[in-house]
């Protein structure tokens, strides 16, 4: 059993690691990362990871961009979002974008155990007390867009992020160390998969992955 704990607060990582050790047993390999930059090498070393705990406000991840990148790059590894944020709108957005579970940092050990068991069983999970509020919450991202986003390859997702950041094809080619013609092919595929007709609209869609300021 391999679990990755990605959170930028050392004390929370230690507490979550100890809780997981109690739940999963001493044979479990529990790895920690304090940023997305640290998380990627760990996943490359352990592609058979059973699940990932991902902090909503993780350095290197603007809103849900980290979650979406993980779902694109490692679609078979379940992601459990952990956050002090208990806004039903935010939780609904996480689940729509492919999180298998959402656990508030205030959750007791019993709920953590429930969530892990559900995810390892292939199910989704959120705290029972929040289920109704999340179901009735406003949807900031619809299932259609989430489904289109999942069709992107890891390279296309990276290109989309750079488009949203305002980079030109030539700059993207330099960043990815590829030919500009390759970038153009990626951009064409992105526009087709997202069902938009220009890169400006594609960038606007990507902005939906960032945390809303108000709703």
């Amino acid at each position: 059993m391999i679990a990755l704990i990605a959170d930028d607060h050392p004390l929370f990582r230690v507490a979550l690691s100890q809780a997981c050790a109690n739940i999963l047993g001493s044979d479990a390999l529990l790895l920690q990362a304090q940023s997305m930059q640290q998380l990627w090498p760990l996943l490359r070393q352990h592609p058979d990871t059973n699940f990932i705990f991902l902090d909503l406000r993780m350095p290197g991840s603007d809103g849900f961009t980290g979650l979406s990148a993980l779902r694109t790059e490692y679609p078979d590894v379940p992601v459990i979002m952990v956050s002090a944020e208990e806004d039903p709108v935010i939780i609904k957005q996480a689940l729509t974008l492919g999180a298998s579970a959402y656990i508030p940092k205030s959750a007791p050990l019993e709920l953590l155990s429930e969530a892990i068991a559900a995810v390892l069983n292939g199910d989704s999970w959120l705290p029972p007390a929040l289920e109704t509020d999340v179901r009735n919450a406003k949807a900031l991202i619809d299932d259609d867009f989430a489904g289109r986003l999942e069709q992107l390859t890891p390279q296309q997702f990276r290109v989309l992020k750079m488009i949203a950041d305002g980079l030109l094809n030539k700059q993207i080619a330099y960043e990815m160390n590829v030919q500009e013609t390759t970038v153009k092919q990626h951009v064409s595929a992105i526009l087709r998969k997202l069902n938009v007709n220009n890169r400006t609209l594609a960038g606007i869609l990507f902005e939906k992955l960032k945390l809303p300021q108000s709703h």
Side-chain angles (χ1 to χ4, degrees):
M1 178 70 66
I2 303 173
L4 299 185
I5 299 170
D7 192 288
D8 63 330
H9 295 94
L11 291 177
F12 183 76
R13 285 201 310 273
V14 170
L16 187 54
S17 184
Q18 291 173 343
C20 285
N22 290 336
I23 293 167
L24 300 173
S26 57
D27 291 339
L29 178 59
L30 303 171
L31 303 170
Q32 298 181 22
Q34 64 180 11
S35 67
M36 293 300 296
Q37 286 75 12
Q38 286 189 359
L39 181 58
W40 293 119
L42 289 175
L43 276 168
R44 285 193 288 272
Q45 292 168 29
H46 304 278
D48 54 342
T49 293
N50 294 91
F51 60 89
I52 301 166
F53 285 106
L54 180 67
D55 182 21
L56 178 62
R57 300 183 184 278
M58 184 76 167
S61 170
D62 190 351
F64 293 101
T65 59
L67 169 63
S68 293
L70 285 170
R71 298 297 301 141
T72 303
E73 197 99 27
Y74 295 93
D76 296 328
V77 181
V79 177
I80 299 174
M81 298 295 295
V82 288
S83 177
E85 178 66 70
E86 298 187 26
D87 184 340
V89 172
I90 300 297
I91 297 173
K92 187 168 193 167
Q93 194 167 352
L95 297 176
T96 300
L97 289 169
S100 295
Y102 192 105
I103 304 176
K105 289 187 175 180
S106 60
L109 189 61
E110 306 82 62
L111 286 186
L112 182 63
S113 183
E114 270 184 38
I116 291 174
V119 169
L120 291 177
N121 198 40
D123 298 325
S124 58
W125 185 93
L126 72 159
L130 294 173
E131 283 181 359
T132 300
D133 288 342
V134 171
R135 187 168 56 248
N136 296 330
K138 177 184 177 183
L140 297 180
I141 288 181
D142 57 45
D143 291 334
D144 178 66
F145 170 59
R148 289 180 181 279
L149 201 62
E150 286 188 356
Q151 294 175 26
L152 300 182
T153 66
Q155 292 85 356
Q156 289 165 2
F157 187 86
R158 286 195 283 274
V159 170
L160 176 60
K161 182 180 185 302
M162 286 187 268
I163 287 173
D165 288 340
L167 272 66
L168 302 174
N169 286 353
K170 186 181 295 186
Q171 295 168 308
I172 295 172
Y174 176 80
E175 291 292 333
M176 296 183 70
N177 196 26
V178 297
Q179 297 292 322
E180 190 173 347
T181 52
T182 302
V183 174
K184 289 179 179 177
Q185 291 168 356
H186 283 320
V187 172
S188 295
I190 290 165
L191 299 183
R192 186 180 69 254
K193 290 179 179 180
L194 295 184
N195 195 29
V196 293
N197 56 18
N198 63 62
R199 59 196 293 139
T200 301
L201 291 174
I204 290 171
L205 282 180
F206 186 84
E207 292 296 311
K208 287 187 173 187
L209 298 179
K210 298 180 180 180
L211 289 177
Q213 298 301 312
S214 60
H215 43 262

